[in-house]
Amino acid sequence: PYFMEDNDLKDLTRLLPNLRAFSPHGNLTGLYMDEWPHLQELNLSFCFKLEMQHFQIILKHLKLEKLNLNIFPNNKQFEQMNLNDAQVEFLRYLELNTYEFYYFLAKPLANLKDLIITNHYNPRQLFDVLLSVWSAKQILKIETSNVDDILVNCLDIHMNVEQLTIVNDENPLPANII
């Protein structure tokens, strides 16, 4: 419920000590979320008061396999973000915005299988960042929504994806590409 607060998590950790997936909604700062040792999936997208210091502790103590963010739009919050001690090497699924993504590039994401970047961004710049971490042949699936010229960008940088899903591109199949 939206009225959930940090102190409520103390009770939940006692009631549900083996919790593996958690998607809280409410006035949570992230305090006490690291007290579930078996937690593997965490969705923080609806924790509107999430604080950077608590988020960093969560990533330091938990071995998450799935993480949903898209919560940190404030530049002042990014100045505080330091993921050097984070256990991101276990992540298999990561959903976040472009700003958050740059901080996850500090360490290898060796097990990552699904990366979802949620906000509208220049695809060429984003591909440049992605290709600085992974080779084009390692990126097998791309889904886009409201990103123009995605096919052109994929072809320009010689990506050979197995599956490409395009939603709301004004010109998804340009004549010169066909």
Side-chain angles (χ1 to χ4, degrees), residues 124-153:
R124 188 53 180 246
Q125 289 175 325
L126 184 57
F127 280 142
D128 288 345
V129 173
L130 292 174
L131 294 173
S132 71
V133 179
W134 297 283
S135 68
K137 66 182 178 184
Q138 290 177 297
I139 301 172
L140 302 178
K141 178 180 174 182
I142 296 177
E143 295 182 26
T144 65
S145 180
N146 299 314
V147 178
D148 293 337
D149 304 316
I150 195 72
L151 182 59
V152 173
N153 280 282

Side-chain angles (χ1 to χ4, degrees), residues 41-86:
E41 298 180 19
L42 183 59
N43 182 347
L44 297 172
S45 298
F46 305 103
C47 295
F48 303 109
K49 294 187 177 182
L50 185 66
E51 294 179 5
M52 186 62 62
Q53 65 186 22
H54 297 306
F55 173 68
Q56 289 174 183
I57 290 170
I58 291 167
L59 289 184
K60 182 177 180 179
H61 292 129
L62 299 179
K63 296 177 180 177
L64 296 174
E65 293 180 10
K66 182 176 180 179
L67 177 63
N68 295 60
L69 278 179
N70 199 21
I71 194 75
F72 294 120
N74 185 336
N75 287 338
K76 292 183 182 183
Q77 290 171 314
F78 293 122
E79 293 170 5
Q80 304 167 15
M81 191 181 276
N82 178 352
L83 299 180
N84 290 332
D85 295 331

